[in-house]
Amino acid sequence: MHSPLFALVTDRLRERILKGEYTSGTRLVEGKLSAELGVSRIPVREALRVLAAEGLVHIEPRRGASVAKLSPNIASEIVEVRATLEGLNAKLAAQRRDPTLIAEIKKVLEEGARAAAAGDTEQFLRLNARFHELLGNIAANSVLQDIMRSLRERTDRLFAPYNVVRARQNWEEHAQILQAVIDGDADLAALLATRHVHNAASAVEPTARPDAPG
C-alpha cells in the first residue's frame, strides 16, 4: 500500500541529492525526512534503500543513511565509462533514426535553447535530462539505457551546477550531436557525444574535478 507514496518520496529525495540540496556526507535522518515530507518513516526507509542501491546514498549499521561521497577517483572512473557509453548510445541512435522520436527530440532541443537563453535553470535541467532520455529511446537498446540512466544520475551530482553555467555551450553540443544523428553519421555522433561528457567534466571547478589532485 506504500508503493505510490514510496515512489514519490524516492523521486523527491533523489531530486534533492542530484540538485545538491543534500551535499555529500549529509546525514539523512528518517524521522526528520518523514516530518519534512509529511509521511511515515516506512516509505522514507524504503526510498533510502533504493537510493543506496543506485549509489546515491550510503547506509551504515547504527549510523544510518547519508548522501554518498563521490571521491575524485570514482568520479573519474564514472566519467570514463559514461563518455564511452554515451558515444555508443549516439552511434546506435544515428543508425536507427526513428522519425517520430527525432521529431520529438527536435522540440526538446528548441525548448532547451530557449530555457538556456532565458536562464531558466529548473526548466533547463529538466530538458537536459529529457534530451538524453529521448536519445536513448532513439538508440533503442533497453540494456544500455538502464545502465546510462544510473550513470547519469551519479554524474549529475557533479555536473548539474556547472551545466547551468555552461548552458548555451551544453545545448549547442546537443544540437551538434542531434544533427549527426539525423544525418546518419554514426561515427561523428559517437565522437561528439563522448566529447560532450568530457567537456562537462572539464567545466567542474578544479577542486571538485575528477582529475583534480588529491
Side-chain angles (χ1 to χ4, degrees), residues 31-208:
K32 184 178 179 181
L33 292 174
S34 64
E36 286 179 6
L37 299 173
V39 299
S40 71
R41 291 192 179 200
I42 295 174
V44 171
R45 188 175 302 128
E46 292 174 347
L48 291 174
R49 287 173 181 163
V50 169
L51 296 174
E54 293 177 3
L56 295 176
V57 168
H58 180 60
I59 299 177
E60 290 183 280
R62 296 183 297 279
R63 287 182 59 85
S66 61
V67 178
K69 295 180 180 179
L70 197 61
S71 72
N73 286 341
I74 294 297
S76 180
E77 291 172 2
I78 293 173
V79 167
E80 286 177 348
V81 175
R82 178 176 169 182
T84 300
L85 294 184
E86 288 285 8
L88 174 59
N89 187 62
K91 182 175 184 176
L92 292 175
Q95 291 171 343
R96 292 169 180 171
R97 289 181 292 170
D98 181 293
T100 302
L101 291 175
I102 284 178
E104 187 175 353
I105 200 172
K106 278 182 176 179
K107 292 179 182 177
V108 170
L109 192 70
E110 292 169 3
E111 292 175 18
R114 288 194 291 270
D120 187 340
T121 300
E122 186 172 346
Q123 178 78 336
F124 174 78
L125 291 175
R126 183 186 69 79
L127 291 167
N128 184 67
R130 183 60 179 156
F131 177 88
H132 285 288
E133 188 75 15
L134 280 171
L135 195 64
N137 290 346
I138 297 170
N141 185 309
S142 60
V143 174
L144 177 60
Q145 192 160 12
D146 285 344
I147 295 170
M148 291 307 307
R149 190 175 293 114
S150 173
L151 284 172
R152 286 179 189 132
E153 287 173 350
R154 297 177 73 179
T155 52
D156 279 351
R157 293 173 56 197
L158 192 67
F159 292 168
Y162 307 98
N163 276 343
V164 174
V165 173
R166 63 186 295 274
R168 295 194 184 193
Q169 180 185 346
N170 193 54
W171 219 252
E172 287 169 5
E173 291 169 8
H174 283 175
Q176 292 168 3
I177 294 167
L178 181 57
Q179 190 58 56
V181 168
I182 292 170
D183 293 342
D185 193 334
D187 290 338
L188 179 59
L191 174 65
L192 292 172
T194 299
R195 185 181 296 164
H196 177 59
V197 177
H198 286 299
N199 286 347
S202 68
V204 176
E205 285 183 352
T207 54

